[in-house]
């Protein structure tokens, strides 16, 4: 697949906090073909640091395909021979510096001032993400979905869709999900991700110049997110225990690093080049504000929860709890556990093993 990034613009949008935004822009991609009845649409929502680029390559030379290529494509779990897949960049998307992602957030220019919003940008919620996506689908002439699916933060959006627009959503595929709300442990975890940015003097309470971002704090924040997304087994397999440089023994100096520490730092530094620190903080806050538990009775959907067995961010018991809660109020919800040793990342890489389960669920 050779997807193309397209751009949707809303002249005005009012956030859940009542603040008006002008010139709201998000990027999106589509895969497969929309049928004449427009009833074969699956909306795919991305994870915390994901983008609209969910599948395929823009060109053959691209080193990696989209983040859910294991799930989206001909004959895969989300079969593009059967379904029309829509994937969009969220508001306050982290990856504003990759040259492709289109989003509105603190790094955007405020049309009223001609300057970057910084922390004058209003707090936004997962509900805001979903409402902007709804406007996108209306723009495409789509008023009902076959399903909404996504991993991690994408599952949060999918569940939010089912309570915000219950008449539009008959099915939800929630992969590596926190469940119906964010557990206090998870809220504390994502706050720990955020704190290094806020402690960096260069952050300047969110009003930093783009040429002088809080890079040190952002790198440490991204180091933490990367670490928690991996499992014990994955970290051992990928990095091992030895020194980063055999000539620099960690037992001889605090400046000498272990291999795992150095590699996590390198990955974080690379990601920091395309990530905006304020967008990171706003996404953390949106995640912490998520709570569909009190409104889940509004849903008319069926749910398939798919935790990963070695996930340290959202372990399987959170999906089990959600399934039990949904069954208790008469909603159909089932569980399929992804097997593997990759931790949270198995929700991206191990989707092939769920192909039959998802196909059966979508056909119900």
């Amino acid at each position: 697949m050779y997807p193309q990034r397209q751009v949707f613009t809303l002249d005005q949008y009012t956030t859940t906090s009542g603040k008006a935004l002008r010139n709201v822009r998000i990027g999106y991609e589509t895969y497969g073909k929309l049928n004449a009845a427009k009833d074969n649409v699956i909306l795919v929502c991305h994870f915390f640091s994901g983008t609209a680029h969910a599948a395929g390559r823009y060109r053959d030379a691209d080193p990696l395909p989209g983040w859910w290529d294991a799930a989206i494509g001909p004959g895969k779990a989300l079969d593009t021979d059967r379904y029309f897949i829509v994937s969009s960049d969220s508001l306050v998307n982290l990856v504003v510096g990759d040259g492709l992602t289109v989003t509105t957030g603190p790094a955007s220019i405020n049309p009223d001032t001609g300057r970057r919003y910084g922390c004058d940008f209003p707090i936004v919620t997962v509900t805001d993400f979903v409402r902007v996506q709804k406007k996108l689908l209306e723009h495409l002439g789509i008023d009902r979905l076959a399903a909404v699916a996504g991993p991690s933060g994408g599952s949060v959006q999918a569940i939010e869709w089912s309570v915000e627009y219950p008449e539009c959503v008959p099915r939800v595929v929630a992969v590596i999900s926190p469940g119906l709300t964010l557990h206090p442990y998870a809220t504390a975890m994502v706050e720990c991700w955020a704190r290094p940015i806020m402690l960096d003097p260069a952050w300047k309470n969110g009003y930093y110049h783009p040429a002088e971002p809080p890079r040190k704090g952002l790198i440490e924040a991204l180091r933490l997110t990367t670490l928690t997304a991996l499992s014990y087994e994955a970290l051992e397999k990928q990095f091992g225990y030895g020194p980063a440089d055999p000539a620099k023994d960690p037992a001889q100096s605090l400046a000498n690093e272990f291999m795992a520490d150095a590699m996590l730092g390198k990955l974080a530094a690379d990601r920091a080049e395309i990530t905006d620190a304020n967008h990171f903080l706003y996404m953390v806050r949106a995640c912490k504000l998520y709570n569909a538990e009190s409104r889940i009775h509004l849903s008319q959907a069926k749910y398939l929860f798919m935790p990963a067995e070695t996930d340290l961010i959202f372990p399987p018991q959170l999906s089990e709890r959600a399934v039990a809660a949904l069954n208790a109020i008469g909603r159909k919800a089932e569980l399929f556990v992804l097997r593997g040793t990759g931790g949270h990342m198995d929700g991206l890489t191990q989707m092939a093993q769920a192909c039959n389960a998802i196909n059966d669920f979508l056909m119900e």
Side-chain angles (χ1 to χ4, degrees), residues 85-159:
I85 312 295
V86 179
S87 176
S88 72
D89 297 320
S90 67
L91 294 173
V92 301
N93 191 286
L94 272 63
V95 193
V96 292
D98 69 347
L100 293 167
T101 300
V102 180
T103 186
T104 296
S108 303
I109 299 299
N110 182 343
D112 295 328
T113 66
R115 299 189 300 272
R116 284 162 55 108
Y117 281 101
C119 281
D120 289 336
F121 195 79
I123 296 295
V124 289
T125 65
V126 174
T127 303
D128 289 310
F129 299 173
V130 166
R131 289 178 180 177
V132 172
Q133 290 166 350
K134 180 66 161 58
K135 294 294 185 182
L136 165 62
L137 293 178
E138 290 173 359
H139 168 73
L140 297 175
I142 297 164
D143 58 13
R144 183 171 171 81
L145 297 162
V148 188
S152 193
S155 77
V156 164
Q157 295 174 60
I159 295 166

Coordinates of all heavy atoms in Angstrom, one line a residue, residues 85-159:
I85 N -10.5 1.6 5.6 CA -9.9 2.0 6.9 C -9.6 3.5 6.9 O -8.9 4.0 5.9 CB -8.6 1.2 7.2 CG1 -8.8 -0.3 7.0 CG2 -8.1 1.5 8.6 CD1 -9.8 -0.9 7.9
V86 N -10.0 4.2 7.9 CA -9.6 5.6 8.1 C -8.8 5.8 9.3 O -9.2 5.2 10.4 CB -10.9 6.5 8.2 CG1 -10.5 8.0 8.3 CG2 -11.8 6.3 6.9
S87 N -7.7 6.5 9.2 CA -6.8 6.7 10.4 C -6.4 8.2 10.4 O -6.0 8.7 9.3 CB -5.6 5.9 10.3 OG -4.7 6.1 11.4
S88 N -6.5 8.9 11.5 CA -6.3 10.3 11.6 C -5.2 10.7 12.6 O -5.1 10.0 13.6 CB -7.5 11.1 11.8 OG -8.0 11.0 13.1
D89 N -4.5 11.8 12.4 CA -3.7 12.4 13.5 C -4.7 13.0 14.5 O -5.7 13.6 14.1 CB -2.8 13.5 12.9 CG -1.8 13.0 11.9 OD1 -1.2 11.9 12.1 OD2 -1.6 13.7 10.9
S90 N -4.3 12.8 15.8 CA -5.2 13.4 16.8 C -4.8 14.9 17.0 O -3.8 15.4 16.5 CB -4.9 12.7 18.1 OG -3.6 12.9 18.6
L91 N -5.7 15.6 17.7 CA -5.3 16.9 18.3 C -4.1 16.6 19.2 O -3.8 15.5 19.7 CB -6.4 17.5 19.1 CG -7.7 17.9 18.4 CD1 -8.7 18.3 19.4 CD2 -7.4 19.0 17.4
V92 N -3.3 17.7 19.4 CA -2.1 17.7 20.2 C -1.2 16.5 19.9 O -0.5 15.9 20.8 CB -2.4 17.8 21.7 CG1 -3.1 19.1 22.0 CG2 -3.2 16.7 22.3
N93 N -1.1 16.0 18.7 CA -0.3 14.9 18.3 C 1.2 15.2 18.7 O 1.7 16.3 18.4 CB -0.4 14.6 16.8 CG 0.2 13.3 16.4 OD1 1.4 13.2 16.4 ND2 -0.6 12.3 16.2
L94 N 1.9 14.2 19.2 CA 3.3 14.4 19.7 C 4.2 14.7 18.5 O 5.1 15.5 18.7 CB 3.8 13.2 20.4 CG 3.5 13.2 21.9 CD1 2.0 13.1 22.2 CD2 4.2 12.0 22.5
V95 N 4.0 14.0 17.4 CA 5.1 14.0 16.4 C 4.9 15.1 15.4 O 4.7 14.9 14.2 CB 5.0 12.6 15.7 CG1 6.3 12.4 14.8 CG2 5.0 11.5 16.7
V96 N 5.0 16.3 15.8 CA 4.7 17.5 15.0 C 5.9 17.9 14.1 O 5.8 18.7 13.2 CB 4.3 18.7 15.8 CG1 3.0 18.5 16.4 CG2 5.3 19.0 16.9
G97 N 7.1 17.2 14.4 CA 8.3 17.6 13.7 C 8.7 16.6 12.6 O 9.9 16.7 12.1
D98 N 7.9 15.7 12.2 CA 8.3 14.7 11.2 C 8.1 15.1 9.8 O 8.4 14.4 8.9 CB 7.6 13.3 11.5 CG 6.1 13.3 11.2 OD1 5.6 14.4 11.0 OD2 5.5 12.2 11.2
G99 N 7.5 16.3 9.6 CA 7.2 16.7 8.2 C 6.0 16.2 7.6 O 5.7 16.5 6.5
L100 N 5.3 15.3 8.3 CA 4.1 14.6 7.7 C 2.9 14.8 8.6 O 1.8 15.0 8.1 CB 4.4 13.1 7.5 CG 5.4 12.7 6.5 CD1 5.8 11.3 6.6 CD2 4.9 13.0 5.1
T101 N 3.1 14.7 9.9 CA 1.9 14.8 10.8 C 1.3 16.2 10.8 O 2.0 17.2 10.8 CB 2.4 14.5 12.2 OG1 2.9 13.2 12.2 CG2 1.2 14.6 13.2
V102 N 0.0 16.2 10.7 CA -0.8 17.5 10.7 C -1.7 17.5 11.9 O -2.6 16.6 12.1 CB -1.6 17.6 9.4 CG1 -2.4 18.9 9.5 CG2 -0.7 17.6 8.2
T103 N -1.5 18.4 12.8 CA -2.3 18.5 14.0 C -2.4 19.9 14.5 O -1.6 20.8 14.1 CB -1.6 17.6 15.1 OG1 -2.4 17.5 16.3 CG2 -0.3 18.2 15.5
T104 N -3.3 20.1 15.4 CA -3.5 21.4 16.1 C -3.2 21.3 17.6 O -3.8 20.3 18.2 CB -4.9 22.0 15.8 OG1 -5.0 22.3 14.4 CG2 -5.0 23.4 16.6
G105 N -2.4 22.1 18.1 CA -2.0 22.0 19.5 C -1.1 23.2 19.9 O -1.1 24.2 19.2
P106 N -0.5 23.0 21.1 CA 0.3 24.1 21.6 C 1.4 24.7 20.7 O 1.8 25.8 20.7 CB 1.0 23.5 22.9 CG 0.0 22.5 23.3 CD -0.5 21.9 22.0
A107 N 1.9 23.8 19.8 CA 3.0 24.3 18.8 C 2.4 25.0 17.6 O 3.1 25.6 16.8 CB 3.8 23.1 18.4
S108 N 1.1 25.0 17.5 CA 0.4 25.6 16.4 C 0.4 27.2 16.5 O 0.5 27.7 17.7 CB -1.0 25.1 16.2 OG -1.1 23.7 16.0
I109 N 0.2 27.9 15.4 CA 0.1 29.3 15.5 C -1.3 29.7 15.8 O -2.3 29.2 15.2 CB 0.5 30.0 14.1 CG1 2.0 29.6 13.8 CG2 0.3 31.5 14.2 CD1 3.0 30.1 14.8
N110 N -1.5 30.5 16.9 CA -2.8 31.0 17.3 C -3.2 32.1 16.2 O -2.5 33.1 16.1 CB -2.7 31.6 18.7 CG -4.0 32.1 19.2 OD1 -4.9 32.3 18.4 ND2 -4.1 32.3 20.5
P111 N -4.2 31.9 15.5 CA -4.6 32.9 14.4 C -5.0 34.2 15.0 O -4.9 35.2 14.3 CB -5.8 32.2 13.7 CG -6.3 31.2 14.7 CD -5.1 30.7 15.5
D112 N -5.3 34.3 16.3 CA -5.7 35.6 16.9 C -4.4 36.4 17.3 O -4.6 37.6 17.5 CB -6.5 35.3 18.2 CG -7.9 34.7 17.8 OD1 -8.4 35.0 16.7 OD2 -8.3 33.9 18.7
T113 N -3.3 35.7 17.5 CA -2.1 36.5 17.9 C -0.9 36.4 17.0 O 0.0 37.2 17.0 CB -1.6 35.9 19.3 OG1 -1.1 34.6 19.1 CG2 -2.7 35.9 20.3
G114 N -0.9 35.4 16.1 CA 0.2 35.2 15.1 C 1.4 34.5 15.8 O 2.4 34.4 15.2
R115 N 1.2 34.1 17.0 CA 2.3 33.4 17.8 C 1.9 32.0 18.2 O 0.7 31.7 18.2 CB 2.7 34.2 19.0 CG 3.2 35.6 18.7 CD 3.7 36.3 20.0 NE 2.7 36.4 21.1 CZ 1.9 37.4 21.2 NH1 2.0 38.4 20.3 NH2 1.0 37.4 22.2
R116 N 2.8 31.2 18.5 CA 2.5 29.8 19.0 C 1.6 29.9 20.2 O 1.8 30.8 21.1 CB 3.8 29.1 19.3 CG 4.5 28.6 18.1 CD 6.0 28.2 18.4 NE 6.1 27.3 19.5 CZ 6.5 26.0 19.4 NH1 6.7 25.5 18.2 NH2 6.7 25.2 20.4
Y117 N 0.7 29.0 20.4 CA -0.1 29.0 21.5 C 0.6 28.8 22.8 O 0.4 29.4 23.8 CB -1.1 27.8 21.4 CG -2.3 28.0 20.6 CD1 -2.4 27.5 19.3 CD2 -3.5 28.7 21.0 CE1 -3.5 27.7 18.5 CE2 -4.6 28.9 20.2 CZ -4.6 28.4 18.9 OH -5.7 28.5 18.1
G118 N 1.6 27.8 22.8 CA 2.2 27.4 24.1 C 1.1 26.9 25.0 O 0.2 26.3 24.6
C119 N 1.3 27.2 26.3 CA 0.3 26.7 27.2 C -1.0 27.6 27.3 O -1.8 27.4 28.2 CB 0.9 26.6 28.6 SG 1.9 25.1 28.7
D120 N -1.1 28.6 26.4 CA -2.4 29.2 26.2 C -3.4 28.3 25.5 O -4.6 28.6 25.5 CB -2.3 30.5 25.4 CG -1.6 31.6 26.2 OD1 -1.6 31.5 27.5 OD2 -1.0 32.5 25.6
F121 N -2.9 27.2 24.9 CA -3.8 26.3 24.2 C -4.7 25.6 25.3 O -4.2 25.3 26.4 CB -3.0 25.2 23.5 CG -3.8 24.4 22.5 CD1 -4.0 24.9 21.3 CD2 -4.2 23.1 22.8 CE1 -4.8 24.2 20.3 CE2 -5.0 22.4 21.9 CZ -5.2 22.9 20.7
P122 N -6.0 25.5 25.0 CA -6.9 24.9 26.0 C -6.6 23.4 26.2 O -6.1 22.7 25.3 CB -8.3 25.1 25.4 CG -8.0 25.2 23.9 CD -6.7 25.9 23.8
I123 N -6.8 23.0 27.5 CA -6.8 21.5 27.8 C -7.8 20.8 26.9 O -9.0 21.2 26.8 CB -7.1 21.3 29.2 CG1 -6.0 21.9 30.1 CG2 -7.2 19.8 29.5 CD1 -4.6 21.3 29.9
V124 N -7.4 19.8 26.2 CA -8.3 19.0 25.4 C -8.4 17.5 26.0 O -7.5 17.1 26.7 CB -7.9 18.9 23.9 CG1 -8.1 20.3 23.3 CG2 -6.4 18.5 23.8
T125 N -9.4 16.9 25.6 CA -9.7 15.5 26.2 C -9.9 14.5 25.0 O -9.9 14.9 23.9 CB -11.0 15.5 27.0 OG1 -12.1 15.8 26.0 CG2 -11.0 16.6 28.1
V126 N -9.9 13.3 25.4 CA -10.2 12.2 24.4 C -11.5 12.5 23.7 O -11.6 12.2 22.5 CB -10.2 10.8 25.1 CG1 -10.6 9.7 24.1 CG2 -8.8 10.5 25.7
T127 N -12.5 13.0 24.4 CA -13.7 13.4 23.8 C -13.5 14.4 22.6 O -14.2 14.3 21.6 CB -14.7 14.0 24.8 OG1 -14.9 13.0 25.8 CG2 -16.1 14.3 24.2
D128 N -12.6 15.3 22.8 CA -12.3 16.3 21.8 C -11.7 15.6 20.6 O -12.0 15.9 19.4 CB -11.4 17.4 22.3 CG -12.0 18.3 23.3 OD1 -13.1 18.9 22.9 OD2 -11.5 18.5 24.3
F129 N -10.8 14.6 20.8 CA -10.2 13.9 19.7 C -11.3 13.2 18.9 O -11.3 13.3 17.7 CB -9.3 12.8 20.2 CG -8.1 13.2 21.0 CD1 -7.3 12.2 21.7 CD2 -7.8 14.5 21.2 CE1 -6.2 12.6 22.4 CE2 -6.7 14.9 21.9 CZ -5.9 14.0 22.6
V130 N -12.3 12.6 19.6 CA -13.3 11.9 18.9 C -14.3 12.8 18.2 O -14.7 12.5 17.0 CB -14.1 11.0 20.0 CG1 -15.4 10.5 19.5 CG2 -13.2 9.9 20.5
R131 N -14.6 13.9 18.7 CA -15.5 14.9 18.1 C -14.9 15.4 16.8 O -15.6 15.6 15.8 CB -15.9 16.0 19.0 CG -16.8 15.5 20.1 CD -17.2 16.6 21.1 NE -18.1 16.1 22.2 CZ -18.5 16.8 23.2 NH1 -18.1 18.1 23.3 NH2 -19.3 16.3 24.1
V132 N -13.6 15.7 16.8 CA -13.0 16.1 15.6 C -12.9 15.0 14.5 O -13.2 15.3 13.3 CB -11.5 16.7 15.9 CG1 -10.8 17.0 14.6 CG2 -11.6 17.9 16.7
Q133 N -12.7 13.8 15.0 CA -12.7 12.6 14.1 C -14.1 12.5 13.4 O -14.3 12.2 12.3 CB -12.4 11.4 14.8 CG -10.9 11.3 15.2 CD -10.6 10.2 16.1 OE1 -11.5 9.6 16.7 NE2 -9.3 9.9 16.4
K134 N -15.2 12.8 14.3 CA -16.5 12.7 13.8 C -16.8 13.7 12.6 O -17.4 13.4 11.6 CB -17.5 12.9 14.9 CG -19.0 12.8 14.5 CD -19.4 11.4 14.1 CE -20.9 11.2 14.1 NZ -21.7 12.1 13.3
K135 N -16.2 14.9 12.8 CA -16.4 15.9 11.8 C -15.6 15.5 10.5 O -16.1 15.7 9.4 CB -15.8 17.2 12.3 CG -16.6 17.9 13.4 CD -18.0 18.3 12.9 CE -18.8 19.0 14.0 NZ -20.1 19.3 13.6
L136 N -14.5 14.8 10.7 CA -13.8 14.3 9.5 C -14.6 13.3 8.7 O -14.7 13.3 7.5 CB -12.4 13.7 9.9 CG -11.7 12.8 8.9 CD1 -11.3 13.6 7.7 CD2 -10.5 12.1 9.6
L137 N -15.2 12.3 9.5 CA -16.0 11.3 8.8 C -17.2 11.9 8.1 O -17.6 11.5 7.0 CB -16.5 10.3 9.9 CG -15.3 9.4 10.4 CD1 -15.9 8.4 11.5 CD2 -14.6 8.6 9.3
E138 N -17.9 12.9 8.8 CA -19.0 13.6 8.1 C -18.5 14.3 6.8 O -19.2 14.2 5.8 CB -19.6 14.7 9.1 CG -20.3 14.1 10.3 CD -20.7 15.1 11.3 OE1 -20.4 16.3 11.1 OE2 -21.3 14.7 12.3
H139 N -17.3 14.8 6.8 CA -16.7 15.4 5.6 C -16.6 14.4 4.5 O -16.7 14.7 3.3 CB -15.4 16.0 6.0 CG -14.5 16.4 4.8 ND1 -14.8 17.5 4.0 CD2 -13.4 15.9 4.3 CE1 -13.9 17.6 3.1 NE2 -13.1 16.6 3.2
L140 N -16.3 13.1 4.9 CA -16.1 12.1 4.0 C -17.4 11.4 3.6 O -17.5 10.5 2.8 CB -15.2 11.0 4.5 CG -13.7 11.5 4.8 CD1 -12.9 10.3 5.5 CD2 -13.0 11.9 3.5
G141 N -18.5 11.9 4.2 CA -19.9 11.4 3.9 C -20.2 10.1 4.6 O -21.0 9.3 4.2
I142 N -19.5 9.8 5.7 CA -19.7 8.6 6.5 C -20.4 8.9 7.7 O -20.0 9.7 8.5 CB -18.3 8.0 6.8 CG1 -17.6 7.6 5.5 CG2 -18.5 6.8 7.7 CD1 -16.1 7.3 5.7
D143 N -21.6 8.2 8.0 CA -22.4 8.4 9.2 C -22.5 7.2 10.1 O -23.1 7.3 11.2 CB -23.7 9.0 8.8 CG -24.5 8.0 7.9 OD1 -24.1 6.9 7.8 OD2 -25.6 8.5 7.4
R144 N -21.9 6.1 9.7 CA -21.9 4.9 10.5 C -20.7 4.1 10.2 O -20.2 4.0 9.1 CB -23.2 4.1 10.2 CG -23.3 2.8 11.2 CD -24.7 2.2 11.0 NE -24.7 0.9 11.7 CZ -24.9 0.7 13.0 NH1 -25.1 1.8 13.8 NH2 -25.0 -0.5 13.6
L145 N -20.2 3.4 11.3 CA -19.0 2.7 11.2 C -19.2 1.2 11.3 O -20.2 0.8 12.0 CB -18.0 3.1 12.2 CG -17.5 4.6 12.1 CD1 -16.9 5.0 13.5 CD2 -16.5 4.7 11.0
A146 N -18.4 0.4 10.7 CA -18.5 -1.1 11.0 C -17.8 -1.4 12.3 O -18.2 -2.3 13.1 CB -17.8 -1.8 9.9
A147 N -16.8 -0.6 12.7 CA -16.1 -0.8 13.9 C -15.2 0.4 14.2 O -14.8 1.1 13.2 CB -15.3 -2.1 14.0
V148 N -14.8 0.6 15.4 CA -13.6 1.5 15.8 C -12.6 0.6 16.5 O -13.0 -0.2 17.3 CB -14.1 2.6 16.7 CG1 -12.9 3.6 16.8 CG2 -15.3 3.4 16.1
A149 N -11.4 0.7 16.1 CA -10.3 -0.1 16.6 C -9.1 0.7 16.9 O -8.8 1.8 16.3 CB -9.9 -1.2 15.7
G150 N -8.3 0.3 17.9 CA -7.0 0.9 18.2 C -6.3 0.3 19.3 O -6.9 -0.4 20.2
P151 N -5.0 0.5 19.4 CA -4.2 0.0 20.5 C -3.9 1.1 21.5 O -3.7 2.2 21.2 CB -2.9 -0.5 19.8 CG -2.7 0.5 18.7 CD -4.1 0.9 18.3
S152 N -3.8 0.7 22.8 CA -3.4 1.6 23.9 C -4.3 2.9 23.9 O -5.5 2.8 24.0 CB -1.9 1.9 23.7 OG -1.4 2.5 24.9
G153 N -3.7 4.1 23.7 CA -4.5 5.3 23.6 C -5.5 5.3 22.5 O -6.5 6.0 22.6
G154 N -5.2 4.5 21.5 CA -6.2 4.3 20.4 C -7.4 3.5 20.9 O -8.6 3.8 20.4
S155 N -7.2 2.6 21.8 CA -8.4 1.9 22.4 C -9.2 2.8 23.2 O -10.5 2.6 23.3 CB -7.9 0.7 23.2 OG -7.4 1.1 24.5
V156 N -8.6 3.7 23.9 CA -9.3 4.7 24.7 C -10.2 5.5 23.8 O -11.4 5.8 24.1 CB -8.3 5.6 25.4 CG1 -8.9 6.9 25.9 CG2 -7.6 4.9 26.5
Q157 N -9.7 6.0 22.6 CA -10.6 6.7 21.7 C -11.7 5.8 21.2 O -12.8 6.3 21.0 CB -9.7 7.2 20.5 CG -8.7 8.2 20.9 CD -7.7 8.6 19.8 OE1 -8.2 9.1 18.8 NE2 -6.4 8.4 20.0
A158 N -11.4 4.6 20.9 CA -12.4 3.7 20.4 C -13.6 3.5 21.4 O -14.7 3.5 21.0 CB -11.8 2.3 20.0
I159 N -13.2 3.3 22.6 CA -14.2 3.2 23.7 C -15.0 4.5 23.8 O -16.2 4.5 24.0 CB -13.6 2.7 25.0 CG1 -13.0 1.3 24.9 CG2 -14.6 2.7 26.1 CD1 -12.1 0.9 26.0

